[in-house]
């Protein structure tokens, strides 16, 4: 049985115990190459160092008064925010929030609801849990007039994705190859993560319209990687190396380098196992110090928003087994981090979702000047 861990109160500052970077050997099953794919040299090295810091200055509120925000994106420079529980997409205009759209057919329960969003061209793609007890990916055409964003028309991308009270995944991102990547949790049916015929416990890759790319590792399948428990963050380095963060169960949360056809071990293993059938994480953290959700890469630094760990973690791309932690316990649970058009980091808190301890003004978006985050 999968145990849903209650979130504790504010955590104390700790020095993390991190393992050295180990990529392991990929078991790609029926992947066309049939051989292991190693991570690039740029992401293999690491010394296992870790520190925790509380920077001063460089942080301010962008907006307060949000309700369980999950994702922030920009459409034509306009910030759009998804709220999980009420299915509302809201736009930030001159410091104020305006209603843009309420996604129809969304049902919130547990960790489900309106989750990730991504913009490409004049389409806004969203991931949500439907009233039919399934997860869906759909897109709407966006336009901006007099500074305000409007959404029109619905185009189905992918329906019938397994859903659960918890472990719904929910992140959608466009990779540097122009493809749409979708993270799907195991929905507490852990055996599905190793079932290549199921979408649960996977990272999916598809064309923006939902069709299967011809160069996916398993012909005719959207599955890009498998053996995941619950991925909620994906990002790419400048050299196109793909990283993802993943919730563990009771022991280890993970940072992984994602390769096509890679198997990341869940539920056979949690964290590093040195099993040649599965890929090792390049970094892992005790579950009480992480619960990693959204992530973003700016320059050569990976930024990870942590829920239960209540911190923003910074990982250098060249040394992915090392990290620093910022704001530990300062702002509570952090759901997402994104790079804004001006190069700053926007960090979403997540204290009003029933698991946090809301402070006055929660939930909020913080603007963080990355220059104030020293290595």
């Amino acid at each position: 049985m999968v145990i849903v861990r209650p979130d504790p109160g504010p955590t104390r500052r700790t020095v993390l115990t991190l393992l050295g970077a180990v990529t392991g050997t990929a078991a790609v099953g029926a992947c066309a190459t049939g051989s292991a794919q190693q991570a690039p040299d740029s992401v293999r090295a690491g010394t296992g160092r870790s520190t925790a810091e509380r920077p001063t200055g460089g942080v301010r509120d962008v907006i307060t008064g949000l309700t369980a925000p999950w994702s922030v994106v920009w459409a034509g420079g306009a910030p759009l925010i998804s709220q999980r529980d009420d299915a509302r997409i809201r736009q930030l205009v001159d410091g104020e929030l305006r209603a843009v759209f309420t996604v129809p057919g969304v049902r919130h329960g547990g960790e489900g609801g309106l989750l990730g969003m991504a913009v490409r061209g004049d389409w806004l793609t969203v991931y949500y849990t439907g009233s039919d007890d399934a997860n869906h990916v759909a897109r709407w055409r966006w336009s901006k007039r007099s500074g305000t964003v409007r959404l029109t028309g619905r185009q189905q991308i992918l329906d019938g994705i397994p859903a659960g009270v918890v472990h719904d995944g929910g992140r959608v991102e466009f990779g540097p190859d122009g493809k749409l990547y979708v993270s799907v949790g195991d929905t507490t049916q852990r055996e599905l993560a190793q079932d290549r015929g199921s979408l649960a416990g996977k990272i999916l890759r598809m064309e923006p319209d939902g069709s299967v790319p011809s160069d996916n590792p398993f012909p005719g399948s959207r599955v890009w990687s498998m053996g995941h428990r619950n991925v909620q963050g994906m990002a790419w380095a400048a050299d196109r190396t793909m990283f993802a963060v993943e919730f563990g169960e009771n022991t280890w949360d993970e940072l992984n380098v994602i390769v096509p056809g890679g198997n990341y071990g869940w539920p056979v293993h949690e964290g590093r196992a040195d099993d040649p059938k599965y890929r090792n994480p390049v970094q892992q953290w005790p579950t009480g110090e992480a619960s990693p959700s959204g992530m973003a890469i700016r320059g050569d630094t990976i930024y990870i928003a942590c829920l239960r760990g209540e911190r923003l973690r910074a990982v250098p791309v060249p040394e992915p087994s090392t990290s620093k932690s910022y704001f530990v316990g300062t702002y509570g649970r952090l759901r997402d981090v994104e790079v804004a058009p001006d190069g700053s980091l926007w960090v979403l808190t997540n204290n009003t979702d029933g698991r946090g301890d809301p402070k006055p003004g929660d939930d909020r978006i913080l603007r963080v000047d990355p220059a104030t985050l020293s290595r």
Side-chain angles (χ1 to χ4, degrees):
M1 175 179 295
V2 174
I3 299 172
V4 180
R5 306 184 304 276
D7 284 287
T11 56
R12 59 186 173 85
R13 183 176 302 190
T14 56
V15 177
L16 305 182
T17 302
L18 304 177
L19 297 183
V22 183
T23 58
T25 303
V28 296
C31 179
T33 63
S35 60
Q37 299 190 45
Q38 295 294 331
D41 289 339
S42 62
V43 298
R44 289 185 196 163
T47 63
R49 299 186 307 275
S50 175
T51 60
E53 296 187 2
R54 185 186 300 270
T56 58
V59 182
R60 65 172 175 83
D61 285 338
V62 175
I63 192 68
T64 59
L66 301 171
T67 303
W70 215 91
S71 182
V72 59
V73 296
W74 284 261
L80 302 179
I81 304 158
S82 68
Q83 294 190 161
R84 185 192 70 182
D85 298 358
D86 59 15
R88 297 171 70 189
I89 298 174
R90 306 174 77 182
Q91 180 186 350
L92 181 60
V93 183
D94 297 328
E96 301 291 336
L97 290 169
R98 63 170 293 270
V100 174
F101 193 66
T102 299
V103 178
V106 175
R107 183 166 71 187
H108 160 61
E111 295 175 358
L114 177 59
L115 303 180
M117 303 189 298
V119 172
R120 182 172 175 82
D122 56 359
W123 291 97
L124 173 71
T125 301
V126 305
Y127 184 112
Y128 66 91
T129 309
S131 56
D132 58 352
D133 295 322
N135 286 313
H136 303 265
V137 179
R139 65 179 182 176
W140 282 262
R141 193 178 296 276
W142 69 269
S143 60
K144 191 168 73 167
R145 186 173 183 180
S146 300
T148 60
V149 173
R150 292 173 174 81
L151 301 179
T152 57
R154 178 189 187 276
Q155 186 174 105
Q156 173 184 324
I157 302 299
L158 183 60
D159 287 339
I161 303 169
V165 176
V166 293
H167 305 177
D168 286 291
R171 197 64 64 183
V172 290
E173 301 282 0
F174 285 98
D177 56 3
K179 310 301 183 187
L180 175 63
Y181 292 77
V182 177
S183 71
V184 182
D186 71 358
T187 70
T188 72
Q189 301 180 73
R190 53 172 63 194
E191 69 281 356
L192 296 180
Q194 291 295 325
D195 179 358
R196 214 178 73 205
S198 171
L199 300 181
K202 311 292 191 302
I203 293 176
L204 311 178
R205 177 179 182 258
M206 61 197 80
E207 300 291 350
D209 64 2
S211 58
V212 179
S214 60
D215 59 347
N216 270 11
F218 309 113
S221 173
R222 296 179 177 86
V223 172
W224 185 246
S225 62
M226 59 190 294
H228 299 293
R229 184 171 183 264
N230 196 25
V231 170
Q232 285 189 0
M234 301 178 289
W236 289 260
D239 65 359
R240 298 195 168 198
T241 298
M242 182 180 181
F243 290 88
V245 284
E246 179 167 347
F247 290 85
E249 185 177 26
N250 296 316
T251 310
W252 297 114
D253 293 327
E254 300 177 2
L255 171 65
N256 286 298
V257 170
I258 304 299
V259 299
N263 190 326
Y264 292 81
W266 178 256
V268 182
H269 300 294
E270 177 183 356
R272 176 182 175 181
D274 295 326
D275 184 334
K277 295 181 180 179
Y278 308 103
R279 296 189 66 86
N280 277 333
V282 293
Q283 187 170 168
Q284 61 186 29
W285 310 280
T287 54
E289 298 174 359
S291 294
S293 186
M295 66 186 299
I297 296 179
R298 182 185 186 276
D300 62 354
T301 303
I302 306 166
Y303 296 98
I304 304 168
C306 296
L307 291 164
R308 191 178 175 198
E310 297 187 349
R311 68 194 66 197
L312 180 68
R313 195 181 300 277
V315 178
V317 171
E319 297 181 275
S321 68
T322 69
S323 69
K324 285 187 177 181
S325 293
Y326 298 96
F327 315 121
V328 179
T330 303
Y331 301 108
R333 293 159 54 85
L334 304 183
R335 170 64 71 182
D336 195 17
V337 55
E338 296 290 345
V339 180
D342 66 359
S344 66
L345 302 176
W346 281 26
V347 180
L348 277 66
T349 70
N350 201 188
N351 298 311
T352 60
D353 69 346
R355 294 184 175 182
D357 183 15
K359 299 178 175 65
D362 279 341
D363 270 312
R364 65 189 71 233
I365 296 178
L366 303 165
R367 182 189 184 276
V368 178
D369 179 356
T372 65
L373 303 179
S374 64
R375 282 213 184 151

